[in-house]
Amino acid sequence: AYAPCKEYFEKQAAERELHLQKRRDMVTQLQTYLSDYHWESAVWKDVEQTLKTARQEWQTYWPVPRKAGNDLQKEFENLMEQIFGKMSSAFEANKQQKHQLVEQAKQFLTMEDTRAACDKVKQLQSDWKN
């Protein structure tokens, strides 16, 4: 009774092993990305897109063997959290800089020379974009 199903089960097992290998490759790529990326000059929209794409691609490689898949899942989540942590800290620093720009802009409200105030606010707007 098992013989007719043997080929089907072998095909399923091969598919699970292929997905597991693809996930291992993804973990290796994320480790390389985390260690080799120039975080000082990061393009955060690209990093955010990388996280999104990695998550979507990870989900396509399913099913995987349970035990090995669980261990690899933990490693993947750890790497994703590390990358997200770098992005979050950069966003927080950016938020603080923007608050400082707002405080500077408030100081120009009371200036007598409106032309000079407008010029300084334009400079703040440029700084805001950056």
Side-chain angles (χ1 to χ4, degrees):
Y2 180 74
C5 299
K6 182 179 180 182
E7 183 179 321
Y8 174 76
F9 290 130
E10 287 174 352
K11 183 179 174 184
Q12 278 188 328
E15 181 182 22
R16 284 192 298 272
E17 287 301 320
L18 176 66
H19 288 166
L20 183 64
Q21 184 57 47
K22 294 218 183 241
R23 283 187 168 192
R24 283 186 182 126
D25 293 344
M26 280 189 68
V27 166
T28 302
Q29 289 174 351
L30 283 173
Q31 287 170 334
T32 302
Y33 182 78
L34 182 62
S35 63
D36 293 350
Y37 194 80
H38 298 288
W39 295 106
E40 309 81 40
S41 59
V43 179
W44 296 110
K45 287 188 180 206
D46 292 347
V47 173
E48 186 175 21
Q49 184 61 40
T50 299
L51 287 173
K52 183 178 178 181
T53 302
R55 177 77 58 200
Q56 289 171 346
E57 188 174 336
W58 183 265
Q59 292 173 350
T60 63
Y61 300 133
W62 180 259
V64 294
R66 183 168 292 144
K67 172 75 172 109
N70 288 343
D71 294 342
L72 206 54
Q73 180 74 35
K74 289 175 187 172
E75 194 172 347
F76 174 78
E77 292 299 333
N78 184 22
L79 288 168
M80 293 291 279
E81 285 178 23
Q82 288 180 50
I83 295 170
F84 184 76
K86 288 186 179 290
M87 191 171 67
S88 293
S89 64
F91 283 171
E92 188 60 36
N94 190 31
K95 182 179 174 183
Q96 294 302 322
Q97 289 174 342
K98 286 186 174 187
H99 280 295
Q100 291 173 353
L101 291 174
V102 168
E103 292 303 316
Q104 290 175 9
K106 286 178 182 179
Q107 294 173 0
F108 300 135
L109 289 172
T110 58
M111 283 183 69
E112 295 287 327
D113 185 3
T114 56
R115 181 174 297 276
C118 286
D119 290 340
K120 290 182 181 187
V121 168
K122 285 180 184 179
Q123 178 59 46
L124 290 178
Q125 285 176 328
S126 175
D127 292 346
W128 181 279
K129 282 184 179 181
N130 291 333

